[in-house]
Amino acid sequence: MSVGLDGVIAAETALSHVDGEAGTLILKGLPLDAAATLDFEGVCALLWDGLLDTQDDLRARLAAARQQAFDRVARMLPAADGLTTVEGLRLMLSGLADETDLDPPVQVTGAVPVFVAALDRHRRGLQPIEPNPDLGQSADFLAMLAGETADPAIVVGLDTYLVTVADHGLNASTFAARVVASTRAGMVSSVVAALCALKGPLHGGAPGPVLDMLDAIGGEDRIDTWLDETLKQGDRLMGFGHRVYKVRDPRADVLKRAVARLKGDRIAFAEKVEQAAIAHLARHKPGRRLETNVEFYTALLLDRIGLDRSLFTPVFAIGRVAGWAAHVMEQEATGRLIRPQSRYVGPTPQQAA
Ligand code: ACO
């Protein structure tokens, strides 16, 4: 038996391929470096090609989906009081119907940034801002969040992030989406399941804690002591280690370059922490091959974009929903019910009697 389904092939996909030994990621035949030059609508078009009935007017249709989601926001926001932003997103997505007059992937993908922006403004005591159909998804998200048009360089930085994380093989959240899709429960139900899996700190919940770690280390003189003590206590270093990558996660480099283009001021310090962390991990966990994962430079990039760390996991969902939606369509088109078996290790009736 493979604990954690390590190495088990549980689906065939034409969407993305992760080579954990070579440290490469391919999205629909495009190497990550090439895909990362697309904007968010571009990666949706790439991933949804051949799965969605029509790709026509995708930008306008996503804008229409944002407007339709916004029309529900005022009604739903009060119910999110007291929840974190990602919990509020889970609540608001659950309120969408699986059957819709919009294409289901378009509906859910357009809704996520609207809900996240509204929830964040609500947390800050501010009114939600209507989407602008003239903007692309990234620019509109930033405008709905801040109430003003974002610097184009910042929009490109966000696009790079969203595209880089849009799809990544059969990660935990995508697998959750495919399991639910395999029961024919529908797009929204599948995406809600995926979001629930993404939320955990071992998956999409890590980038906020990466910044907490950099803050806790504080200065260069404390790097080695802090890392050593943390590992001695048995704690994990956020932003390091990966189930599939046994070398550096290629997304880390794409995101690091994006932070550098935006002249992020913490890069030099982060690089020192990264180098020291890899060395300490090799010493404390020999043979485990723990390297930098996507979340380390995600934290720096999203921070440089000006996002509060409570938004990091929800913003991950804004990008990854493109991949979830594609996997749901692929599963619905080709897949059987996903129903593995467990090995019983409990008592026999005779033992229990
Ligand atoms: N810091 C310290 N030790 C670690 C780390 C880490 N970041 N990652 C793994 N280890 C250790 C484990 O403690 C374990 O040690 P042991 O064999 O002595 O018990 C060994 O390495 C193997 O760990 P597993 O949990 O079996 O490895 P798995 O493949 O399940 O873990 C995971 C992958 C969950 C990402 C892990 O590396 C981790 O917890 N990293 C920190 C959290 C993080 O960065 N999450 C984001 C992942 S990227 C993404 O999902 C988008």
Side-chain angles (χ1 to χ4, degrees), residues 184-229:
R184 304 283 188 265
M187 180 62 72
V188 172
S189 301
S190 306
V191 164
V192 169
L195 179 71
C196 293
L198 184 79
K199 173 178 177 289
L202 299 191
H203 188 9
V210 167
L211 274 196
D212 296 340
M213 173 176 78
L214 294 178
D215 287 348
I217 294 172
E220 287 183 23
D221 52 329
R222 284 188 21 90
I223 294 176
D224 283 315
T225 327
W226 193 94
L227 293 172
D228 197 44
E229 282 172 3

Side-chain angles (χ1 to χ4, degrees), residues 21-151:
E21 287 296 335
T24 55
L25 168 62
I26 297 168
L27 295 178
K28 276 259 182 107
L30 279 187
L32 174 62
D33 281 350
T37 61
L38 299 170
D39 62 9
F40 181 73
E41 282 78 359
V43 84
C44 289
L46 178 74
L47 292 172
W48 298 352
D49 185 34
L51 295 168
L52 202 62
D53 286 345
T54 170
Q55 295 268 41
D56 291 350
D57 302 325
L58 202 48
R59 187 180 157 109
R61 282 156 64 207
L62 279 168
R66 293 198 296 276
Q67 185 60 51
Q68 201 180 80
F70 185 79
D71 295 341
R72 310 176 62 86
V73 156
R75 248 189 347 264
M76 300 182 78
L77 268 182
D81 279 339
L83 300 181
T84 64
T85 307
V86 73
E87 289 165 342
L89 176 62
R90 187 184 62 195
L91 173 86
M92 292 177 88
L93 280 176
S94 302
L96 296 175
D98 278 307
E99 298 294 326
T100 163
D101 53 338
L102 295 169
D103 262 322
V106 175
Q107 172 193 235
V108 75
T109 302
V112 177
V114 174
F115 292 160
V116 173
L119 285 159
D120 186 65
R121 289 183 68 82
H122 187 65
R123 179 182 64 80
R124 291 182 280 142
L126 300 169
Q127 290 297 316
I129 290 175
E130 256 193 84
N132 177 349
D134 297 332
L135 298 177
Q137 183 111 328
S138 295
D140 203 18
F141 168 65
L142 293 170
M144 286 187 285
L145 202 60
E148 59 188 27
T149 311
D151 177 337

Side-chain angles (χ1 to χ4, degrees), residues 6 168 171 198 200-207 210 231 234-244 246 249 251 281 284-285 288 290 293-296 316 320:
D6 209 346
H168 200 242
N171 58 85
L198 184 79
L202 299 191
H203 188 9
V210 167
L231 288 170
D235 292 339
R236 295 190 177 207
L237 302 181
M238 292 293 137
F240 296 90
H242 197 276
R243 174 63 62 84
V244 181
K246 297 306 166 202
D249 185 332
R251 299 170 297 176
L281 284 166
H284 282 269
K285 298 282 174 184
R288 308 301 198 292
L290 301 171
N293 68 42
V294 64
E295 303 291 33
F296 191 75
F316 191 166
R320 182 55 62 85

Side-chain angles (χ1 to χ4, degrees), residues 275-303:
Q275 281 159 14
I278 291 167
H280 280 275
L281 284 166
R283 202 166 57 253
H284 282 269
K285 298 282 174 184
R288 308 301 198 292
R289 301 173 69 191
L290 301 171
E291 297 280 339
T292 318
N293 68 42
V294 64
E295 303 291 33
F296 191 75
Y297 285 102
T298 288
L300 270 88
L301 179 58
L302 297 187
D303 187 45

